Amino acid sequence: MKRLKVAEKMRNLMAGYYMLGHQAKVRAWVTSGAPVEILYAMDVYPVYPENHGALIGAAKLGSYYSDFSEKRGFSRDLCSYARCDIGCVFAGTSPVGGLPKPSFLFACNNICNTVVKWYEILSRIFKVPLFVLDVPFVRKELKESHLRYVEDQLIDFIKFVEKLIGMQMDDSKLREVAMKSIEAVKLYGECLRMSKNRPSPMTCFDAFINMAPIVCLRGTDYAVSFYKEMKEELEDRVKNRIYAVENEKFRLLWDNIPVWYRLRWLSDFFASRNACLVADTYTNAWTGFGELRSSDLISSLAEVYTVSYLNIGLERMVEIINGLIEFYEVDGVVMHSNRSCKPYSFGQYEIQKKLSVPSVIIEADMVDERAFSEAQVATRLEAFLEML
Amino acid sequence: MISAGIDIGSLTAKCVLLSDSKILAYKVTRVKPKIEETAREVFEETLKIANVRREEVLSVFSTGYGRSRVEFADKAITEITCHAVGASFLIPSVRTVIDIGGQDSKVISVENGRVVEFVMNDKCSAGTGRFLEVMANALHLKLEELGSIAMKAEKKITISSTCTVFAESEVISYLSSGEKIEEIVAGICDAIASRIVAMATRVGVREDVVLTGGVAKNLGVKKAIEEKLGIPVKVPEEPQIVGALGAAVLASRKKNI
């Protein structure tokens, strides 16, 4: 695997991010799809248990930390991010020495409803307040009433934080953070779209490895300068004809959260068969957060975070995937049926029927390596490539 | 030219020698823990049956679960592609291949000998040959006997569980409550068939349907699948070697791959 040079920078950046967390005065544990802009605007440091879960998976320690939760009665059928993060709390450590304790918790259910129960448990463990941003599921079109419901809660949330920190939010600061968020997402989207080149300068594995800043540092200068650099490196690759997969023959799209503990294996598997996973639905989900309007900030925050990828109907998801298939000119779709992530995996068999290119489903889990059977996955993927 | 196909499954190893579109010889053996050795032995034994020297075989393709461990093979191809090719070779009108092997089962949609779509069982042994093996054990019967015993049944007992382990204890409790063995066996065949048919429906069943793999020899399972699909199912004379045959066919057209 030809890693991007920026991956090293990303590692340092994220090490710094985790370290800063311990020094921060006010910390919130937040879900990946929560409007982090409000937190950054109020100098609240956001901690991302999901990113931490991915890190545990990549370190191949999923089953180890999950055990701490399972021994206390948490079912193995629960999300492995939740199991591992809660497991680390019980273990009192983690690959990064444990996450810094929260001052409060902020869960937005636009990605799943597991986060609600997960954060309620955290709230009981840490004895800190929890704010749940309840977002209605958008089966078809987004209604005015949906927006008003979410907007009201955003205003409540700002008051909730103001009360906790004893300070008022500065509207201009929120605007400033939002502008940075928009810029970072724009650059990030431009990075991903570089894969439109044939052959592609990057794979979705590069996207996965380098996605942490858009998740955790969206709204800061760090994310902006990181993706600027990543974009430059990709442009250089295109100019100098450096391709992610030397003899790119098949162009594929990945669906669902990565199999973190098998990134290298999967990346080598595809590269050795001249197949390039040029894009994925997962990292693309963050490009939607760039539609913020600085003139009407609260309302557009409500909108952007309500129509997130896992909070919309199957038909809309199919439209998005077919859009990606067309844009990136892919020959097939590899769908990871993720034992952990029900909202992401549940509709896959239905979606599969409506895609414009062939697809294959592999069964695994994003973090729990016990759910991965190498021989089974290899046979399905090989047969799929033979078919294409 | 002579080509060979070697299929290393989870339970059995199969080898087929092909010469100008004619099967020269084939052999089925049990898989030993050492896959390389198993592959060499089954290959040598087949050569002996056909009275062919190793040098005369111009191309060897491997397939099956152990395909990448057959070092002397020129190329490894998945069993999905090989079953499609092998079944089309024997029955050119085939559109759907149902393969039930020792530890996995798959349904393949075929068009002109090529795979259009496929589904496989997930991480569960119900719906595979292993399920039948466990049940035969629980009933103190030989695996080969199950089919003919099932055919004697006038009605079937419903095995409610979809899990091999739980189904085994269910079977044992039926035995102890004095149910007829043939009716239990018919129920077992029915349970496996319903798994397979559910999978087949996902791909879409088109005639002709060809049943391959070791389990195809079990008449009880064949009959149960036919009942559920509502159409006849064809079984090649030697359903167990279809994957190896497909590999041999592909090896003979080496240049086309």
Side-chain angles (χ1 to χ4, degrees):
Chain A
M1 181 176 181
K2 276 185 255 169
R3 286 207 178 198
L4 288 168
K5 284 186 214 123
V6 286
E8 192 52 40
K9 178 156 187 180
M10 189 276 311
R11 208 188 302 266
N12 294 335
L13 184 61
M14 292 312 290
Y17 159 81
Y18 275 105
M19 247 151 57
L20 270 178
H22 292 275
Q23 296 158 18
K25 241 171 44 203
V26 186
R27 292 178 289 256
W29 285 23
V30 296
T31 58
S32 63
V36 66
E37 289 81 2
I38 295 172
L39 295 176
Y40 275 125
M42 294 163 101
D43 289 323
V44 175
Y45 174 90
V47 178
Y48 282 89
E50 287 161 71
N51 178 263
H52 186 235
L55 197 143
I56 291 165
K60 299 183 173 58
L61 290 166
S63 58
Y64 175 77
Y65 285 108
S66 178
D67 255 3
F68 287 92
S69 296
E70 286 172 46
K71 279 179 188 148
R72 280 168 174 81
F74 289 87
S75 162
R76 207 189 265 192
D77 292 323
L78 285 171
C79 161
S80 52
Y81 281 168
R83 268 185 283 138
C84 288
D85 273 311
I86 295 170
C88 286
V89 175
F90 292 136
T93 185
S94 84
V96 291
L99 292 176
K101 290 201 169 49
S103 318
F104 67 92
L105 303 157
F106 182 28
C108 178
N109 61 358
N110 58 354
I111 47 168
C112 67
N113 278 300
T114 299
V115 294
V116 177
K117 292 292 151 194
W118 173 4
Y119 278 59
E120 280 174 3
I121 288 160
L122 291 175
S123 172
R124 286 204 290 271
I125 293 174
F126 291 115
K127 299 184 175 56
V128 292
L130 159 68
F131 191 97
V132 174
L133 179 62
D134 177 42
V135 167
F137 191 83
V138 187
R139 209 160 291 282
K140 288 209 154 68
E141 77 278 17
L142 182 69
K143 290 186 184 125
E144 193 52 43
S145 56
H146 290 155
L147 278 183
R148 265 206 314 277
Y149 177 63
V150 179
E151 267 179 61
D152 286 352
Q153 289 179 74
L154 286 175
I155 290 161
D156 283 349
F157 176 63
I158 292 168
K159 285 186 200 146
F160 167 90
V161 182
E162 282 175 343
K163 207 172 145 198
L164 277 172
I165 62 173
M167 228 165 47
Q168 290 238 310
M169 187 183 74
D170 178 350
D171 285 352
S172 64
K173 183 80 188 292
L174 179 63
R175 192 150 298 133
E176 192 186 306
V177 170
M179 294 309 282
K180 283 178 193 168
S181 184
I182 294 167
E183 199 184 348
V185 172
K186 183 173 158 272
L187 285 162
Y188 174 70
E190 285 167 359
C191 286
L192 296 183
R193 285 193 289 277
M194 293 297 283
S195 290
K196 191 173 168 56
N197 285 284
R198 254 177 201 271
S200 170
M202 69 182 266
T203 66
C204 73
F205 301 104
D206 294 304
F208 295 151
I209 290 168
N210 294 299
M211 73 183 291
I214 202 65
V215 179
C216 307
L217 296 164
R218 191 169 71 250
T220 70
D221 289 323
Y222 298 112
V224 174
S225 62
F226 177 78
Y227 290 110
K228 208 177 268 172
E229 202 173 322
M230 181 165 164
K231 194 185 155 200
E232 281 164 14
E233 188 180 349
L234 289 166
E235 282 166 346
D236 271 359
R237 273 198 172 187
V238 172
K239 208 162 67 196
N240 299 318
R241 300 184 179 180
I242 299 169
Y243 311 127
V245 173
E246 216 46 68
N247 304 301
E248 183 188 293
K249 191 173 157 205
F250 304 109
R251 291 168 68 85
L252 305 170
L253 178 80
W254 175 275
D255 181 51
N256 213 309
I257 300 173
V259 183
W260 289 111
Y261 48 92
R262 285 287 180 149
L263 279 190
R264 178 180 289 267
W265 184 85
L266 283 163
S267 159
D268 291 346
F269 181 94
F270 285 106
S272 66
R273 288 161 180 81
N274 302 327
C276 184
L277 280 150
V278 291
D280 67 279
T281 56
Y282 186 51
T283 56
N284 256 288
W286 271 267
T287 59
F289 297 149
E291 310 286 309
L292 293 177
R293 299 178 303 270
S294 56
S295 55
D296 194 6
L297 211 44
I298 296 296
S299 157
S300 71
L301 275 171
E303 182 175 339
V304 159
Y305 285 95
T306 301
V307 294
S308 74
Y309 185 68
L310 294 183
N311 202 49
I312 50 176
L314 277 192
E315 268 141 55
R316 181 74 193 112
M317 281 172 113
V318 169
E319 269 173 40
I320 292 175
I321 303 182
N322 277 333
L324 291 171
I325 290 171
E326 197 182 330
F327 182 81
Y328 290 101
E329 300 174 324
V330 305
D331 309 301
V333 181
V334 177
M335 304 182 109
H336 165 208
S337 173
N338 182 353
R339 203 149 179 84
S340 272
C341 193
K342 284 80 178 174
Y344 216 147
S345 311
F346 185 63
Q348 280 173 321
Y349 286 95
E350 277 309 304
I351 290 174
Q352 202 178 22
K353 291 183 203 157
K354 294 174 182 160
L355 296 183
S356 52
V357 292
S359 55
V360 65
I361 294 187
I362 54 167
E363 301 224 342
D365 184 274
M366 56 199 184
V367 168
D368 194 335
E369 67 278 10
R370 292 167 296 191
F372 188 89
S373 159
E374 188 176 303
Q376 286 194 356
V377 171
T379 299
R380 279 160 181 76
L381 294 178
E382 261 176 53
F384 184 62
L385 293 175
E386 286 168 5
M387 191 180 102
L388 291 179
Chain B
M1 81 170 261
I2 301 178
S3 65
I6 298 175
D7 177 0
I8 309 289
S10 61
L11 290 174
T12 55
K14 288 78 74 170
C15 177
V16 170
L17 283 178
L18 197 71
S19 172
D20 299 323
S21 295
K22 263 175 61 191
I23 297 174
L24 286 183
Y26 67 85
K27 176 83 188 164
V28 181
T29 62
R30 286 293 280 197
V31 168
K32 294 177 192 167
K34 281 190 181 157
I35 287 179
E36 296 86 349
E37 208 179 295
T38 308
R40 217 175 307 115
E41 278 175 19
V42 74
F43 185 38
E44 277 163 13
E45 284 173 38
T46 320
L47 288 172
K48 218 178 278 171
I49 297 169
N51 204 11
V52 166
R53 279 176 294 121
R54 170 71 182 89
E55 307 80 65
E56 291 176 69
V57 181
L58 293 184
S59 168
V60 183
F61 276 21
S62 59
T63 186
Y65 175 67
R67 64 188 176 281
S68 52
R69 310 260 301 275
V70 183
E71 279 165 17
F72 58 88
D74 300 303
K75 193 170 177 148
I77 307 273
T78 63
E79 51 271 37
I80 291 126
T81 301
C82 288
H83 273 274
V85 172
S88 305
F89 178 84
L90 295 170
I91 303 169
S93 56
V94 63
R95 289 292 169 274
T96 309
V97 178
I98 298 178
D99 170 57
I100 314 176
Q103 75 170 15
D104 66 21
S105 44
K106 45 194 147 324
V107 180
I108 311 160
S109 179
V110 187
E111 201 87 64
N112 303 321
R114 287 186 67 96
V115 178
V116 188
E117 211 188 328
F118 66 92
V119 279
M120 291 175 85
N121 67 313
D122 40 44
K123 289 182 194 66
C124 174
S125 62
T128 71
R130 183 75 193 143
F131 179 79
L132 290 176
E133 232 192 332
V134 170
M135 298 310 143
N137 248 331
L139 292 164
H140 302 289
L141 293 172
K142 282 191 189 138
L143 187 60
E144 305 81 60
E145 296 175 325
L146 290 182
S148 53
I149 292 173
M151 297 303 276
K152 287 185 208 151
E154 278 165 22
K155 59 181 179 70
K156 332 176 168 161
I157 284 176
T158 308
I159 308 288
S160 57
S161 184
T162 48
C163 159
T164 304
V165 177
F166 293 138
E168 186 183 8
S169 44
E170 206 176 334
V171 162
I172 292 169
S173 70
Y174 282 133
L175 262 185
S176 57
S177 65
E179 299 289 349
K180 286 186 188 156
I181 292 229
E182 61 265 29
E183 289 175 4
I184 301 175
V185 175
I188 290 165
C189 294
D190 205 64
I192 197 167
S194 59
R195 274 261 170 169
I196 300 292
V197 168
M199 209 158 66
T201 320
R202 235 158 69 196
V203 178
V205 179
R206 294 178 307 155
E207 288 187 83
D208 286 345
V209 180
V210 174
L211 190 58
T212 66
V215 176
K217 290 180 175 175
N218 182 317
L219 289 176
V221 174
K222 176 183 180 264
K223 191 176 154 220
I225 291 177
E226 285 178 330
E227 275 170 19
K228 287 180 196 299
L229 288 179
I231 50 171
V233 164
K234 295 186 173 171
V235 179
E237 203 176 315
E238 188 37 91
Q240 221 172 346
I241 62 159
V242 175
L245 173 64
V249 172
L250 289 171
S252 74
R253 328 176 184 139
K254 200 173 173 181
K255 279 178 200 138
N256 303 335
I257 291 180

